[in-house]
Amino acid sequence: MNSEISPLFLPNTETLNVTVLVFSGASLMCVASTVDPMRAANRVSGSPLFKWQIVSLDGQPTMTTCGLPIAVSGSFNAREKGDMLLVVGGFGTADIARTTFTANLRRAVHNYQMIGGIEAGSWLLGRAGLLSGRRATTHWEDMEEFTAEFPDADIRPDRYVIDGPVFTSGGASPTFDLMLHLIRSRYGMSVALDVASVFIYDEAHASNDAQPLVSLGRLDDVHPKLAIAVRLMENHIEQPLTIGAIAKRCGLSARSLEKIFAKAVGEGPGRYYLRLRLKVARRLVTDTRSPLADIAARTGFSSASAFTRTFRSFEGRPPSAFRPVH
């Protein structure tokens, strides 16, 4: 594996020229987490630490998942030079990666010191061959498919991964952490703290913290055992544990665990666990072409028919009704 440190993450007071390539289907929060820390750094320092431009493939505004368009300054030019190229992708990006864009991306790499894939942007880097032999990550929902797609890469469930001139980030919050890390490494701790303060943001995670399936928020403050139980559930989707086994690992009786869930979540642990598995199953149904039998096995159901019955009882429709039309 490569372990060189990009010079962009070494102390330097020069302006960093950044191109942000945004694809339709990206999350507005991912775009903001990429751009706003640079804006804030310029503001708090009183200096042009960053100069950035937002572009799209065709020069037209890109539409985020919440329906708000992102204005761009032009179209992506693979021959243009800069310090850093950030690719922000989302829904549908994996399909875009199968176009001739990957060849343009490979050419563009030679014109930048560093390239980054934000959320589904990591798929574009992978398809361009930029992750081979490197450590990388993507959003937790796509981790299994991403690992299968790029066997030559060392895929990790980390929040973000920096490997030499290439970095990847799993989502909006990890990207904000990553940009703060860049600001801190390049322009100093004082600037980074001021930027974090602008957003009243407490950086509580390391880059190699695992991405959670369930964001617990302050559930740990509600009851530490509840957080442990939820983590056990999310780590045992394919082979579900019994509620008794979960309670035992938490150092509780099954009855005590039932009371904790009822008070904090509003439903029993069994139903919560089932909904969690169905949440994973629904994503696989809508975002992949995996057979229902495979999805059933991957989410702890004994058969496709058992999975379909349970899915219908929760969703009101069978899983086949949620499959996209191709």
Side-chain angles (χ1 to χ4, degrees):
M1 295 297 166
N2 299 278
S3 59
E4 72 269 27
I5 298 175
S6 169
L8 299 188
F9 279 80
L10 297 176
N12 195 321
T13 58
E14 294 183 0
T15 299
L16 197 67
N17 289 287
V18 181
T19 296
V20 183
L21 172 57
V22 181
F23 286 84
S24 287
S27 159
L28 180 64
M29 286 189 68
C30 279
V31 178
S33 292
T34 302
V35 177
D36 249 10
M38 296 190 287
R39 175 198 62 79
N42 288 356
R43 173 192 164 195
V44 301
S45 68
S47 303
L49 302 182
F50 292 94
K51 180 181 179 182
W52 67 90
Q53 61 170 340
I54 302 176
V55 299
S56 64
L57 275 187
D58 57 5
Q60 297 300 310
T62 58
M63 189 64 67
T64 58
T65 50
C66 66
L68 290 177
I70 299 294
V72 300
S73 60
S75 58
F76 173 65
N77 184 349
R79 295 184 296 275
E80 192 168 311
K81 295 183 181 295
D83 295 318
M84 181 179 286
L85 172 63
L86 304 181
V87 183
V88 186
F91 291 111
T93 300
D95 293 328
I96 293 171
R98 294 185 176 91
T99 69
T100 56
F101 168 72
T102 51
N104 288 331
L105 188 58
R106 283 193 293 272
R107 285 193 287 270
V109 168
H110 302 292
N111 295 323
Y112 293 89
Q113 294 186 59
M114 196 166 198
I115 183 169
I118 307 298
E119 200 168 280
S122 55
W123 284 85
L124 295 163
L125 271 60
R127 291 260 169 76
L130 305 181
L131 301 183
S132 180
R134 294 192 181 277
R135 291 171 286 116
T137 192
T138 192
H139 193 276
W140 63 264
E141 288 186 332
D142 300 321
M143 199 68 67
E144 188 172 343
E145 289 78 15
F146 193 70
T147 302
E149 179 84 12
F150 306 112
D152 293 336
D154 179 9
I155 308 303
R156 305 187 176 194
D158 299 0
R159 291 171 61 80
Y160 66 85
V161 175
I162 302 171
D163 195 339
V166 177
F167 68 79
T168 46
S169 172
S173 179
T175 299
F176 199 101
D177 289 340
L178 169 64
M179 296 305 291
L180 279 180
H181 175 54
L182 171 63
I183 293 167
R184 182 169 52 247
S185 300
R186 187 174 176 87
Y187 300 116
M189 178 64 79
S190 177
V191 177
L193 289 175
D194 287 345
V195 169
S197 296
V198 167
F199 298 98
I200 319 176
Y201 181 79
D202 291 323
E203 191 177 7
H205 297 283
S207 64
N208 59 354
D209 284 351
Q211 297 178 40
L213 176 62
V214 179
S215 294
L216 295 179
R218 296 196 176 276
L219 281 186
D220 190 57
D221 294 340
V222 175
H223 201 297
K225 300 293 187 181
L226 179 62
I228 295 172
V230 172
R231 286 287 175 252
L232 284 169
M233 291 175 182
E234 73 167 14
N235 289 328
H236 293 83
I237 297 294
E238 185 169 344
Q239 296 180 316
L241 301 171
T242 66
I243 299 304
I246 293 173
K248 185 175 182 180
R249 294 193 187 191
C250 293
L252 298 168
S253 67
R255 183 175 176 79
S256 295
L257 187 62
E258 291 276 355
K259 289 181 177 179
I260 290 171
F261 264 83
K263 181 178 180 180
V265 184
E267 62 183 350
R271 186 172 179 81
Y272 178 87
Y273 198 0
L274 182 55
R275 283 199 302 105
L276 180 59
R277 290 161 53 203
L278 289 170
K279 172 185 174 182
V280 175
R282 178 169 177 172
R283 185 195 66 79
L284 293 172
V285 167
T286 57
D287 295 353
T288 76
R289 299 181 184 180
S290 298
L292 292 185
D294 290 351
I295 294 175
R298 289 168 60 179
T299 51
F301 292 92
S302 58
S303 66
S305 59
F307 164 59
T308 299
R309 285 195 303 271
T310 306
F311 191 98
R312 185 195 290 269
S313 70
F314 273 74
E315 300 287 353
R317 292 182 292 166
S320 57
F322 288 82
R323 295 236 106 142
V325 177
H326 296 283

